[in-house]
Coordinates of all heavy atoms in Angstrom, one line a residue:
M1 N -14.9 -9.5 5.6 CA -13.8 -8.6 5.6 C -13.4 -8.2 7.1 O -14.3 -7.9 7.9 CB -14.2 -7.3 4.9 CG -13.1 -6.6 4.2 SD -12.1 -7.5 3.0 CE -13.4 -8.1 1.9
Q2 N -12.1 -8.3 7.4 CA -11.7 -8.1 8.8 C -11.5 -6.6 9.0 O -10.7 -6.0 8.4 CB -10.3 -8.7 9.0 CG -10.3 -10.2 8.8 CD -9.8 -10.9 10.0 OE1 -9.6 -10.3 11.0 NE2 -9.6 -12.2 10.0
P3 N -12.4 -6.0 9.9 CA -12.1 -4.6 10.3 C -10.8 -4.5 11.0 O -10.3 -5.5 11.5 CB -13.3 -4.3 11.2 CG -13.8 -5.6 11.7 CD -13.4 -6.6 10.7
L4 N -10.3 -3.3 11.1 CA -9.0 -3.0 11.8 C -9.2 -3.4 13.3 O -10.0 -2.8 14.0 CB -8.7 -1.6 11.7 CG -7.8 -1.1 10.5 CD1 -7.4 0.3 10.7 CD2 -6.6 -2.0 10.4
K5 N -8.4 -4.3 13.7 CA -8.4 -4.6 15.2 C -7.1 -4.2 15.9 O -7.1 -3.9 17.0 CB -8.8 -6.0 15.4 CG -8.0 -7.1 14.7 CD -8.5 -8.5 15.0 CE -7.6 -9.6 14.6 NZ -7.2 -9.8 13.2
D6 N -6.0 -4.3 15.1 CA -4.7 -4.1 15.6 C -4.3 -2.6 15.4 O -3.7 -2.3 14.4 CB -3.7 -5.0 15.0 CG -2.3 -5.0 15.7 OD1 -2.2 -4.1 16.6 OD2 -1.4 -5.7 15.2
R7 N -4.7 -1.8 16.4 CA -4.4 -0.4 16.3 C -2.9 -0.1 16.3 O -2.4 0.8 15.7 CB -4.9 0.3 17.5 CG -6.1 1.4 17.5 CD -6.6 1.9 16.3 NE -6.2 3.2 16.0 CZ -6.8 4.0 15.0 NH1 -7.8 3.5 14.3 NH2 -6.4 5.2 14.8
S8 N -2.1 -1.0 17.0 CA -0.7 -0.7 17.1 C 0.0 -0.9 15.8 O 1.0 -0.2 15.5 CB -0.1 -1.6 18.2 OG -0.1 -3.0 17.8
A9 N -0.5 -1.8 14.9 CA 0.1 -2.0 13.6 C -0.1 -0.8 12.8 O 0.8 -0.3 12.0 CB -0.5 -3.2 12.9
L10 N -1.3 -0.2 12.9 CA -1.6 1.0 12.2 C -0.7 2.2 12.7 O -0.2 3.0 11.9 CB -3.1 1.4 12.3 CG -3.6 2.6 11.6 CD1 -3.4 2.5 10.1 CD2 -5.0 3.0 11.9
E11 N -0.6 2.3 14.0 CA 0.3 3.3 14.5 C 1.7 3.2 14.0 O 2.4 4.2 13.7 CB 0.3 3.3 16.1 CG -1.0 3.5 16.8 CD -1.6 4.9 16.5 OE1 -0.8 5.9 16.3 OE2 -2.8 5.0 16.5
A12 N 2.2 1.9 13.9 CA 3.6 1.7 13.4 C 3.7 2.2 11.9 O 4.7 2.8 11.5 CB 3.9 0.2 13.5
L13 N 2.6 2.0 11.1 CA 2.7 2.5 9.7 C 2.7 4.0 9.7 O 3.4 4.6 8.9 CB 1.4 1.9 9.0 CG 1.5 0.4 8.7 CD1 0.1 0.0 8.1 CD2 2.6 0.0 7.8
L14 N 1.9 4.6 10.6 CA 1.8 6.1 10.6 C 3.1 6.7 11.0 O 3.5 7.8 10.5 CB 0.7 6.6 11.5 CG -0.7 6.1 11.1 CD1 -1.8 6.6 12.1 CD2 -1.1 6.7 9.7
A15 N 3.9 5.9 11.8 CA 5.3 6.4 12.1 C 6.3 6.1 11.0 O 7.4 6.5 11.1 CB 5.7 5.7 13.4
A16 N 5.9 5.3 10.0 CA 6.8 5.0 8.9 C 6.3 5.6 7.6 O 6.3 5.0 6.5 CB 6.8 3.5 8.7
D17 N 5.8 6.9 7.8 CA 5.5 7.8 6.6 C 4.2 7.4 5.9 O 3.9 8.0 4.9 CB 6.6 7.8 5.6 CG 7.8 8.5 6.1 OD1 7.6 9.4 7.0 OD2 8.9 8.3 5.6
W18 N 3.4 6.5 6.4 CA 2.0 6.3 5.9 C 1.1 7.4 6.5 O 1.4 7.9 7.7 CB 1.5 4.9 6.2 CG 2.1 3.8 5.5 CD1 3.2 3.1 5.8 CD2 1.7 3.3 4.2 NE1 3.6 2.2 4.8 CE2 2.7 2.3 3.8 CE3 0.7 3.7 3.3 CZ2 2.6 1.6 2.6 CZ3 0.6 3.0 2.1 CH2 1.5 2.0 1.8
A19 N 0.1 7.8 5.9 CA -0.9 8.8 6.4 C -2.3 8.4 6.0 O -2.5 7.7 5.0 CB -0.6 10.2 5.8
I20 N -3.2 8.8 6.9 CA -4.6 8.6 6.5 C -5.1 9.7 5.7 O -4.8 10.9 6.0 CB -5.5 8.5 7.8 CG1 -5.0 7.5 8.8 CG2 -7.0 8.3 7.4 CD1 -5.4 6.1 8.6
Q21 N -5.7 9.4 4.5 CA -6.1 10.4 3.6 C -7.2 11.3 4.3 O -8.0 10.8 5.0 CB -6.7 9.8 2.4 CG -6.7 10.6 1.1 CD -7.0 9.8 -0.1 OE1 -6.4 8.7 -0.3 NE2 -7.9 10.2 -0.9
D22 N -7.1 12.6 3.9 CA -8.0 13.6 4.6 C -9.5 13.3 4.3 O -10.3 13.3 5.2 CB -7.8 15.0 4.0 CG -6.5 15.6 4.6 OD1 -6.0 15.0 5.6 OD2 -5.9 16.5 4.0
D23 N -9.8 13.0 3.1 CA -11.3 12.9 2.7 C -11.7 11.5 2.5 O -12.8 11.3 1.9 CB -11.5 13.8 1.4 CG -10.5 13.3 0.3 OD1 -9.6 12.5 0.5 OD2 -10.7 13.8 -0.9
R24 N -11.0 10.6 2.9 CA -11.3 9.2 2.7 C -10.6 8.2 3.7 O -9.5 8.6 4.1 CB -10.8 8.9 1.2 CG -11.4 7.6 0.6 CD -10.8 7.4 -0.8 NE -10.8 6.0 -1.1 CZ -10.1 5.5 -2.0 NH1 -9.3 6.2 -2.8 NH2 -10.2 4.2 -2.3
D25 N -11.3 7.2 4.0 CA -10.7 6.2 4.9 C -9.7 5.3 4.2 O -10.0 4.2 3.8 CB -11.8 5.4 5.5 CG -11.5 4.8 6.9 OD1 -10.4 5.1 7.4 OD2 -12.3 4.0 7.4
A26 N -8.5 5.9 3.9 CA -7.5 5.2 3.1 C -6.1 5.5 3.6 O -5.9 6.6 4.1 CB -7.7 5.5 1.6
L27 N -5.2 4.6 3.4 CA -3.8 4.8 3.7 C -3.0 5.3 2.5 O -3.3 4.8 1.4 CB -3.1 3.5 4.2 CG -3.3 3.2 5.7 CD1 -2.8 1.7 5.9 CD2 -2.5 4.1 6.6
Q28 N -2.1 6.3 2.7 CA -1.4 6.8 1.6 C 0.1 6.9 1.9 O 0.5 7.2 3.0 CB -1.9 8.2 1.3 CG -2.6 8.4 0.1 CD -3.0 9.8 -0.3 OE1 -2.9 10.7 0.6 NE2 -3.3 10.1 -1.5
K29 N 0.9 6.6 0.9 CA 2.4 6.9 1.0 C 3.0 7.1 -0.3 O 2.5 6.5 -1.3 CB 3.0 5.6 1.7 CG 4.5 5.8 2.0 CD 5.0 4.7 2.9 CE 6.5 4.8 3.1 NZ 7.0 3.8 4.1
T30 N 4.0 7.9 -0.4 CA 4.8 8.1 -1.6 C 6.1 7.4 -1.5 O 6.9 7.7 -0.5 CB 5.0 9.6 -1.9 OG1 3.7 10.2 -2.1 CG2 5.7 9.8 -3.2
F31 N 6.4 6.4 -2.4 CA 7.7 5.7 -2.4 C 8.6 6.4 -3.4 O 8.1 6.7 -4.5 CB 7.5 4.3 -2.7 CG 6.8 3.5 -1.6 CD1 5.4 3.4 -1.4 CD2 7.6 2.8 -0.6 CE1 4.8 2.7 -0.4 CE2 7.0 2.1 0.4 CZ 5.6 2.0 0.5
R32 N 9.8 6.6 -3.1 CA 10.8 7.1 -4.1 C 11.9 6.2 -4.3 O 12.6 5.8 -3.3 CB 11.3 8.5 -3.6 CG 10.2 9.5 -3.6 CD 10.7 11.0 -3.4 NE 9.6 11.9 -3.6 CZ 8.7 12.1 -2.7 NH1 8.7 11.6 -1.5 NH2 7.6 13.0 -2.9
F33 N 12.2 5.9 -5.6 CA 13.3 5.0 -5.9 C 14.3 5.7 -6.8 O 14.0 6.8 -7.3 CB 12.7 3.7 -6.7 CG 11.8 2.9 -5.8 CD1 10.4 3.2 -5.8 CD2 12.2 1.9 -5.0 CE1 9.5 2.5 -5.1 CE2 11.3 1.2 -4.3 CZ 10.0 1.5 -4.3
K34 N 15.5 5.1 -7.0 CA 16.5 5.8 -7.7 C 16.2 5.9 -9.2 O 16.8 6.7 -9.9 CB 17.9 5.1 -7.5 CG 18.5 5.4 -6.2 CD 19.9 4.9 -6.1 CE 20.2 4.3 -4.7 NZ 20.7 2.9 -4.8
S35 N 15.4 5.0 -9.7 CA 15.2 5.0 -11.1 C 13.8 4.4 -11.4 O 13.2 3.8 -10.6 CB 16.2 4.1 -11.8 OG 16.1 2.7 -11.4
F36 N 13.4 4.5 -12.7 CA 12.1 3.9 -13.1 C 12.2 2.4 -13.0 O 11.2 1.8 -12.6 CB 11.9 4.3 -14.6 CG 10.7 3.6 -15.2 CD1 9.4 3.9 -14.8 CD2 10.9 2.6 -16.1 CE1 8.3 3.2 -15.4 CE2 9.9 1.9 -16.7 CZ 8.6 2.2 -16.3
V37 N 13.4 1.8 -13.4 CA 13.5 0.4 -13.3 C 13.3 -0.2 -11.9 O 12.7 -1.2 -11.6 CB 14.8 -0.1 -13.9 CG1 15.1 -1.6 -13.6 CG2 14.8 0.2 -15.4
E38 N 13.9 0.6 -10.9 CA 13.8 0.1 -9.5 C 12.3 0.3 -9.0 O 11.8 -0.6 -8.3 CB 14.7 1.0 -8.6 CG 16.1 0.5 -8.7 CD 17.0 1.0 -7.5 OE1 16.5 1.3 -6.4 OE2 18.2 1.1 -7.8
A39 N 11.7 1.4 -9.4 CA 10.3 1.6 -9.0 C 9.4 0.5 -9.6 O 8.6 -0.1 -8.9 CB 9.8 3.0 -9.5
F40 N 9.6 0.2 -10.9 CA 8.7 -0.7 -11.6 C 9.0 -2.2 -11.1 O 8.1 -3.0 -11.0 CB 8.9 -0.6 -13.1 CG 7.6 -1.1 -13.8 CD1 6.5 -0.2 -14.0 CD2 7.6 -2.4 -14.3 CE1 5.4 -0.7 -14.6 CE2 6.4 -2.8 -14.9 CZ 5.3 -2.0 -15.1
G41 N 10.3 -2.5 -10.8 CA 10.6 -3.8 -10.2 C 9.9 -4.0 -8.9 O 9.3 -5.1 -8.7
W42 N 9.9 -3.0 -8.1 CA 9.2 -3.0 -6.8 C 7.7 -3.2 -7.0 O 7.0 -4.1 -6.4 CB 9.5 -1.8 -6.0 CG 8.7 -1.6 -4.7 CD1 9.0 -2.2 -3.5 CD2 7.5 -0.8 -4.5 NE1 8.1 -1.9 -2.6 CE2 7.2 -1.0 -3.2 CE3 6.8 0.0 -5.3 CZ2 6.1 -0.4 -2.6 CZ3 5.7 0.6 -4.8 CH2 5.3 0.4 -3.4
M43 N 7.2 -2.5 -7.9 CA 5.7 -2.6 -8.2 C 5.4 -4.0 -8.7 O 4.3 -4.6 -8.3 CB 5.3 -1.6 -9.3 CG 5.3 -0.1 -8.8 SD 5.0 1.0 -10.2 CE 3.2 1.0 -10.2
T44 N 6.3 -4.6 -9.5 CA 6.0 -6.0 -10.0 C 6.0 -6.9 -8.8 O 5.1 -7.8 -8.7 CB 7.1 -6.4 -11.0 OG1 7.1 -5.4 -12.0 CG2 6.8 -7.7 -11.6
R45 N 7.0 -6.8 -7.9 CA 7.0 -7.7 -6.7 C 5.8 -7.5 -5.8 O 5.2 -8.5 -5.4 CB 8.3 -7.5 -5.9 CG 9.6 -8.0 -6.7 CD 10.8 -7.9 -5.8 NE 11.4 -6.6 -5.8 CZ 12.1 -6.0 -6.8 NH1 12.4 -6.7 -7.8 NH2 12.6 -4.8 -6.6
V46 N 5.4 -6.3 -5.6 CA 4.2 -6.0 -4.8 C 3.0 -6.6 -5.5 O 2.1 -7.1 -4.9 CB 4.0 -4.5 -4.6 CG1 2.7 -4.2 -4.0 CG2 5.2 -3.9 -3.7
A47 N 2.9 -6.4 -6.8 CA 1.7 -6.9 -7.6 C 1.5 -8.4 -7.4 O 0.4 -8.9 -7.3 CB 1.9 -6.6 -9.1
L48 N 2.6 -9.2 -7.4 CA 2.5 -10.6 -7.2 C 1.9 -10.9 -5.8 O 1.1 -11.8 -5.6 CB 3.8 -11.3 -7.4 CG 4.4 -11.2 -8.8 CD1 5.8 -11.8 -8.9 CD2 3.5 -11.9 -9.8
H49 N 2.4 -10.2 -4.8 CA 1.8 -10.4 -3.4 C 0.3 -9.9 -3.4 O -0.5 -10.6 -2.8 CB 2.6 -9.5 -2.4 CG 3.8 -10.2 -1.9 ND1 3.9 -11.0 -0.8 CD2 5.1 -10.1 -2.4 CE1 5.1 -11.5 -0.7 NE2 5.9 -10.9 -1.6
A50 N 0.1 -8.8 -4.0 CA -1.3 -8.3 -4.0 C -2.3 -9.3 -4.6 O -3.4 -9.5 -4.1 CB -1.3 -6.9 -4.8
E51 N -1.8 -9.9 -5.7 CA -2.7 -10.8 -6.4 C -2.9 -12.1 -5.6 O -4.1 -12.5 -5.5 CB -2.0 -11.2 -7.8 CG -2.9 -12.1 -8.6 CD -4.2 -11.5 -9.0 OE1 -4.4 -10.3 -8.9 OE2 -5.1 -12.3 -9.4
K52 N -1.9 -12.5 -4.8 CA -2.0 -13.6 -3.9 C -3.0 -13.3 -2.8 O -3.8 -14.2 -2.4 CB -0.7 -14.0 -3.3 CG 0.0 -15.1 -4.0 CD 1.2 -15.6 -3.2 CE 2.3 -16.1 -4.2 NZ 3.6 -15.9 -3.6
M53 N -3.0 -12.1 -2.3 CA -3.8 -11.6 -1.2 C -5.2 -11.3 -1.7 O -6.1 -11.0 -0.9 CB -3.3 -10.4 -0.6 CG -1.9 -10.6 0.2 SD -1.2 -9.0 0.5 CE -2.3 -8.3 1.8
N54 N -5.4 -11.2 -3.1 CA -6.6 -10.7 -3.7 C -7.0 -9.3 -3.1 O -8.1 -9.0 -2.7 CB -7.8 -11.7 -3.5 CG -9.0 -11.3 -4.4 OD1 -8.8 -10.7 -5.4 ND2 -10.2 -11.6 -3.9
H55 N -5.9 -8.5 -2.9 CA -6.1 -7.2 -2.4 C -5.2 -6.3 -3.2 O -3.9 -6.4 -3.2 CB -5.8 -7.1 -0.9 CG -6.3 -5.9 -0.3 ND1 -7.6 -5.6 -0.2 CD2 -5.6 -4.8 0.3 CE1 -7.8 -4.4 0.4 NE2 -6.6 -4.0 0.7
H56 N -5.7 -5.3 -3.9 CA -5.0 -4.5 -4.9 C -4.8 -3.1 -4.6 O -5.8 -2.4 -4.1 CB -5.7 -4.7 -6.2 CG -5.8 -6.2 -6.6 ND1 -6.9 -6.9 -6.2 CD2 -5.0 -7.0 -7.2 CE1 -6.8 -8.2 -6.7 NE2 -5.6 -8.3 -7.3
P57 N -3.6 -2.5 -4.8 CA -3.4 -1.1 -4.5 C -4.0 -0.2 -5.6 O -4.1 -0.6 -6.7 CB -1.9 -1.0 -4.5 CG -1.4 -2.1 -5.4 CD -2.4 -3.2 -5.3
E58 N -4.2 1.0 -5.2 CA -4.4 2.1 -6.2 C -3.0 2.8 -6.2 O -2.5 3.1 -5.1 CB -5.5 3.1 -5.7 CG -6.8 2.5 -5.5 CD -7.8 3.5 -4.8 OE1 -7.7 4.7 -5.0 OE2 -8.6 3.0 -4.0
W59 N -2.5 2.9 -7.3 CA -1.1 3.6 -7.4 C -0.9 4.2 -8.7 O -1.5 3.9 -9.7 CB 0.0 2.5 -7.0 CG 0.0 1.2 -7.8 CD1 -0.7 0.9 -8.9 CD2 0.8 0.1 -7.4 NE1 -0.4 -0.4 -9.2 CE2 0.5 -0.9 -8.4 CE3 1.7 -0.2 -6.4 CZ2 1.1 -2.2 -8.4 CZ3 2.3 -1.4 -6.4 CH2 2.0 -2.4 -7.4
A60 N 0.1 5.2 -8.6 CA 0.5 5.9 -9.9 C 2.0 6.0 -9.9 O 2.6 6.3 -8.8 CB -0.2 7.3 -9.9
N61 N 2.6 5.8 -11.0 CA 4.1 5.8 -11.1 C 4.5 6.9 -12.1 O 4.0 7.0 -13.2 CB 4.6 4.4 -11.6 CG 6.0 4.4 -12.1 OD1 6.2 4.0 -13.3 ND2 6.9 4.8 -11.4
V62 N 5.5 7.7 -11.7 CA 6.1 8.6 -12.6 C 7.6 8.5 -12.3 O 8.1 8.8 -11.2 CB 5.7 10.1 -12.3 CG1 6.5 11.0 -13.3 CG2 4.2 10.3 -12.5
Y63 N 8.4 8.0 -13.3 CA 9.8 7.7 -13.2 C 10.1 6.9 -11.9 O 9.6 5.7 -11.8 CB 10.6 9.0 -13.2 CG 10.4 9.8 -14.5 CD1 9.7 11.0 -14.4 CD2 10.8 9.3 -15.7 CE1 9.4 11.7 -15.6 CE2 10.5 10.0 -16.9 CZ 9.9 11.2 -16.8 OH 9.6 11.9 -18.0
G64 N 10.8 7.4 -10.9 CA 11.1 6.7 -9.7 C 10.1 6.8 -8.6 O 10.4 6.3 -7.5
T65 N 9.1 7.5 -8.8 CA 8.1 7.8 -7.7 C 6.8 7.0 -7.9 O 6.3 6.9 -9.0 CB 7.7 9.3 -7.7 OG1 8.9 10.1 -7.5 CG2 6.7 9.6 -6.6
V66 N 6.4 6.4 -6.8 CA 5.1 5.6 -6.8 C 4.2 6.2 -5.7 O 4.6 6.1 -4.5 CB 5.3 4.1 -6.6 CG1 4.0 3.4 -6.8 CG2 6.4 3.6 -7.6
E67 N 3.1 6.7 -6.0 CA 2.1 7.2 -5.1 C 1.1 6.1 -4.8 O 0.5 5.6 -5.8 CB 1.4 8.4 -5.5 CG 2.3 9.6 -5.5 CD 1.6 10.9 -6.0 OE1 0.4 10.8 -6.5 OE2 2.2 12.0 -6.0
V68 N 1.0 5.7 -3.6 CA 0.1 4.5 -3.3 C -1.1 4.9 -2.4 O -0.9 5.7 -1.4 CB 0.9 3.5 -2.5 CG1 0.1 2.3 -2.0 CG2 2.1 2.9 -3.3
T69 N -2.2 4.4 -2.7 CA -3.4 4.5 -1.8 C -4.0 3.1 -1.5 O -4.1 2.4 -2.5 CB -4.5 5.4 -2.5 OG1 -4.0 6.7 -2.8 CG2 -5.7 5.5 -1.5
L70 N -4.2 2.8 -0.3 CA -4.7 1.5 0.1 C -6.0 1.7 0.8 O -6.1 2.5 1.8 CB -3.7 0.8 1.0 CG -2.4 0.5 0.5 CD1 -1.5 -0.2 1.5 CD2 -2.5 -0.4 -0.8
S71 N -7.0 1.0 0.4 CA -8.4 1.0 1.0 C -9.1 -0.3 0.6 O -8.8 -0.8 -0.5 CB -9.1 2.2 0.5 OG -10.4 2.2 1.1
T72 N -10.0 -0.7 1.4 CA -10.7 -1.9 1.0 C -12.1 -1.5 0.5 O -13.0 -1.1 1.2 CB -10.9 -2.9 2.2 OG1 -9.6 -3.2 2.8 CG2 -11.6 -4.1 1.8
H73 N -12.2 -1.5 -0.8 CA -13.4 -1.0 -1.5 C -14.6 -1.8 -1.1 O -15.7 -1.2 -0.8 CB -13.2 -1.1 -3.0 CG -11.9 -0.6 -3.5 ND1 -11.0 -1.4 -4.2 CD2 -11.3 0.6 -3.3 CE1 -9.9 -0.6 -4.5 NE2 -10.1 0.6 -3.9
D74 N -14.5 -3.1 -0.9 CA -15.6 -3.9 -0.5 C -16.2 -3.5 0.9 O -17.3 -3.7 1.2 CB -15.2 -5.4 -0.5 CG -14.8 -5.9 -1.8 OD1 -15.1 -5.2 -2.8 OD2 -14.3 -7.0 -1.9
A75 N -15.3 -3.0 1.7 CA -15.7 -2.6 3.1 C -15.9 -1.1 3.2 O -16.3 -0.6 4.3 CB -14.6 -3.1 4.1
G76 N -15.6 -0.4 2.2 CA -15.7 1.1 2.3 C -14.8 1.7 3.3 O -15.1 2.8 3.8
G77 N -13.6 1.2 3.5 CA -12.7 1.7 4.4 C -11.5 0.8 4.7 O -11.2 0.0 3.9
L78 N -10.8 1.1 5.8 CA -9.6 0.3 6.1 C -9.9 -1.0 6.8 O -10.8 -1.0 7.6 CB -8.7 1.2 7.0 CG -8.0 2.4 6.4 CD1 -7.2 3.1 7.5 CD2 -7.0 1.9 5.3
T79 N -9.1 -2.0 6.4 CA -9.2 -3.3 7.0 C -7.8 -3.8 7.3 O -6.8 -3.2 6.8 CB -10.0 -4.3 6.2 OG1 -9.2 -4.6 5.0 CG2 -11.4 -3.8 5.8
E80 N -7.8 -5.0 7.9 CA -6.5 -5.7 8.1 C -5.7 -5.9 6.8 O -4.5 -5.9 6.8 CB -6.7 -7.0 8.8 CG -7.3 -6.9 10.2 CD -6.2 -6.4 11.2 OE1 -5.0 -6.7 11.0 OE2 -6.6 -5.6 12.1
L81 N -6.4 -6.1 5.7 CA -5.8 -6.3 4.4 C -4.9 -5.1 4.0 O -3.9 -5.3 3.4 CB -6.8 -6.6 3.3 CG -7.5 -8.0 3.4 CD1 -8.6 -8.1 2.4 CD2 -6.4 -9.1 3.1
D82 N -5.4 -3.9 4.3 CA -4.7 -2.7 3.9 C -3.4 -2.6 4.8 O -2.3 -2.3 4.2 CB -5.5 -1.5 4.1 CG -6.8 -1.5 3.3 OD1 -6.6 -1.6 2.0 OD2 -7.9 -1.5 3.8
V83 N -3.5 -2.9 6.0 CA -2.3 -2.9 6.9 C -1.3 -4.0 6.4 O -0.1 -3.7 6.3 CB -2.8 -3.2 8.4 CG1 -1.6 -3.5 9.3 CG2 -3.6 -2.0 8.9
S84 N -1.8 -5.2 6.1 CA -0.9 -6.2 5.6 C -0.2 -5.8 4.3 O 1.0 -6.0 4.2 CB -1.7 -7.5 5.4 OG -2.2 -8.0 6.6
L85 N -0.9 -5.3 3.4 CA -0.3 -4.9 2.1 C 0.7 -3.7 2.3 O 1.7 -3.7 1.7 CB -1.4 -4.5 1.1 CG -0.9 -4.3 -0.3 CD1 -0.1 -5.5 -0.9 CD2 -2.1 -4.0 -1.3
A86 N 0.4 -2.8 3.2 CA 1.3 -1.7 3.5 C 2.6 -2.3 4.1 O 3.7 -1.9 3.7 CB 0.6 -0.7 4.5
Q87 N 2.5 -3.3 5.0 CA 3.7 -3.9 5.6 C 4.5 -4.6 4.5 O 5.7 -4.5 4.5 CB 3.2 -4.9 6.7 CG 2.7 -4.2 7.9 CD 2.0 -5.2 8.9 OE1 1.6 -6.3 8.5 NE2 1.9 -4.8 10.1
V88 N 3.8 -5.3 3.6 CA 4.5 -5.9 2.5 C 5.3 -4.9 1.6 O 6.5 -5.1 1.3 CB 3.5 -6.7 1.6 CG1 4.2 -7.1 0.2 CG2 3.0 -8.0 2.3
M89 N 4.6 -3.8 1.3 CA 5.2 -2.8 0.5 C 6.5 -2.2 1.2 O 7.5 -2.0 0.5 CB 4.2 -1.6 0.3 CG 3.2 -2.0 -0.7 SD 2.0 -0.6 -1.0 CE 1.3 -1.1 -2.5
D90 N 6.4 -1.9 2.5 CA 7.6 -1.4 3.2 C 8.7 -2.4 3.2 O 9.9 -2.0 3.0 CB 7.2 -1.0 4.7 CG 6.4 0.3 4.8 OD1 6.5 1.1 3.8 OD2 5.9 0.6 5.8
K91 N 8.3 -3.7 3.4 CA 9.4 -4.7 3.5 C 10.1 -4.8 2.2 O 11.3 -4.9 2.1 CB 8.7 -6.0 3.9 CG 9.7 -7.1 4.3 CD 8.9 -8.3 4.9 CE 9.9 -9.5 4.9 NZ 9.2 -10.8 4.7
L92 N 9.3 -4.8 1.1 CA 9.9 -5.0 -0.2 C 10.7 -3.8 -0.7 O 11.6 -3.9 -1.5 CB 8.8 -5.4 -1.3 CG 8.2 -6.7 -1.1 CD1 7.1 -6.9 -2.1 CD2 9.3 -7.8 -1.2
A93 N 10.4 -2.6 -0.1 CA 11.1 -1.4 -0.5 C 12.4 -1.3 0.3 O 13.3 -0.5 0.0 CB 10.3 -0.2 -0.1
G94 N 12.6 -2.2 1.3 CA 13.8 -2.3 2.0 C 14.0 -1.2 3.0 O 15.0 -0.6 3.2
Ligands
LIG1 C1 -14.1 -9.6 -6.4 C2 -12.8 -9.4 -5.7 O1 -12.4 -10.4 -4.9 C3 -12.8 -8.1 -4.9 O2 -13.3 -7.1 -5.8 C4 -11.5 -7.7 -4.3 C5 -10.3 -7.5 -5.2 N1 -9.3 -6.6 -4.8 C6 -9.6 -5.7 -3.9 N2 -8.7 -4.7 -3.6 C7 -8.9 -3.7 -2.7 N3 -8.0 -2.8 -2.4 N4 -10.1 -3.6 -2.1 C8 -11.1 -4.5 -2.4 O3 -12.2 -4.4 -1.8 C9 -10.8 -5.6 -3.3 N5 -11.7 -6.5 -3.5

């Protein structure tokens, strides 16, 4: 598992509304879409990437809102995989 080496990529995420969770080494962001269909469509596209990466989000959806937590369970904290998946999520959210 690749530990975080690119601090600048993490800084860029923190400037784009991602946050480090208080009580856990994990990235968090709340995505808001106009409708349930838009939210779920985005989740479906992200899920296909996540499966390819073999790296899966913790997330919860209510109508157009998706709360996301990213952490590498196998490593007990943040790795490059979390940064990559966060970047994919931002890109697909447009
Ligand atoms: C066995 C399997 O490869 C692992 O459990 C993978 C699957 N997806 C994963 N997703 C996340 N977020 N963290 C992991 O440590 C992880 N591990």
Side-chain angles (χ1 to χ4, degrees):
M1 208 59 53
Q2 299 236 8
L4 268 188
K5 53 181 189 303
D6 186 358
R7 243 358 251 193
S8 66
L10 182 62
E11 296 300 329
L13 290 173
L14 296 177
D17 290 336
W18 288 91
I20 306 279
Q21 202 168 310
D22 284 343
D23 55 351
R24 194 179 154 200
D25 204 7
L27 276 168
Q28 251 186 340
K29 183 170 177 175
T30 300
F31 288 87
R32 291 190 175 82
F33 299 89
K34 281 190 221 125
S35 67
F36 172 72
V37 169
E38 283 197 26
F40 205 82
W42 174 81
M43 291 174 84
T44 304
R45 288 185 283 279
V46 169
L48 295 174
H49 279 270
E51 186 59 17
K52 263 191 215 152
M53 294 166 71
N54 191 30
H55 195 64
H56 303 91
E58 299 169 37
W59 52 9
N61 162 238
V62 179
Y63 303 112
T65 298
V66 186
E67 288 180 356
V68 175
T69 302
L70 299 178
S71 178
T72 304
H73 312 124
D74 297 347
L78 287 175
T79 66
E80 292 292 321
L81 285 172
D82 300 301
V83 169
S84 297
L85 189 53
Q87 289 168 339
V88 165
M89 287 180 160
D90 281 347
K91 193 171 164 212
L92 291 177

